[in-house]
Amino acid sequence: MESYSAPALSSKLALLDQESRTWTSKIRFTEDELIFIDQLLHSYVFEPNTPNLFERLSEYQHRLKQLVEIKDDLQQMIRVHTPNLGELLECKDQTCEDAIILAHTELGTKVDHYISVHENLKSEIFNYAGGILKKRKA
């Protein structure tokens, strides 16, 4: 089996490393949003007479907690994966290279899914909350 040339592997490694850094950056950005949303859900800014308010807020809090756990798991996976990318330069055959790239691609898919779920939940909560916030009296 034919292997990539050293410069091509080095270039590929740089690209994979940059993707990993981008994932880390995107996930870190969501951390602040998750904290804000959690604080919003635990605040007393909602109209108290809203039907099923407690149940809805509890469900959102539960889903948010699950999302935080997924985020934490992904951050750990990226911390382990990124240093292992250097093994790409040590590969002697295409199978080794393919395995590393496949692992990278699969992790990227998980990150993309997390970002999508995060954005959907954030949008759902903001749309719900926007309609039932207490109105301040002037």
Side-chain angles (χ1 to χ4, degrees), residues 71-93:
K71 174 196 63 75
D72 292 344
D73 289 346
L74 281 173
Q75 287 176 312
Q76 178 61 26
M77 285 184 232
I78 293 169
R79 274 193 291 277
V80 169
H81 171 73
T82 302
N84 292 340
L85 288 174
E87 294 174 10
L88 188 64
L89 297 174
E90 299 170 11
C91 287
K92 303 294 183 209
D93 60 34

Side-chain angles (χ1 to χ4, degrees), residues 39-135:
Q39 290 172 346
L40 173 67
L41 294 175
H42 285 91
S43 70
Y44 295 99
V45 298
F46 297 104
E47 287 290 345
N49 60 349
T50 303
N52 301 319
L53 176 65
F54 177 77
E55 292 81 5
R56 194 64 143 334
L57 293 178
S58 293
E59 184 231 341
Y60 285 145
Q61 290 166 353
H62 175 73
R63 289 170 57 195
L64 193 65
K65 182 180 177 191
Q66 289 177 320
L67 200 58
V68 168
E69 290 171 3
I70 293 168
K71 174 196 63 75
D72 292 344
D73 289 346
L74 281 173
Q75 287 176 312
Q76 178 61 26
M77 285 184 232
I78 293 169
R79 274 193 291 277
V80 169
H81 171 73
T82 302
N84 292 340
L85 288 174
E87 294 174 10
L88 188 64
L89 297 174
E90 299 170 11
C91 287
K92 303 294 183 209
D93 60 34
Q94 190 65 43
T95 304
C96 172
E97 294 167 17
D98 290 347
I100 292 170
I101 292 169
L102 177 62
H104 183 83
T105 301
E106 289 174 348
L107 183 52
T109 299
K110 289 177 183 178
V111 170
D112 290 344
H113 179 72
Y114 163 78
I115 297 295
S116 175
V117 170
H118 170 269
E119 290 299 316
N120 289 336
L121 181 59
K122 178 177 73 171
S123 177
E124 186 179 335
I125 291 171
F126 286 176
N127 287 334
Y128 177 73
I132 61 167
L133 291 175
K134 289 181 182 175
K135 310 290 187 262

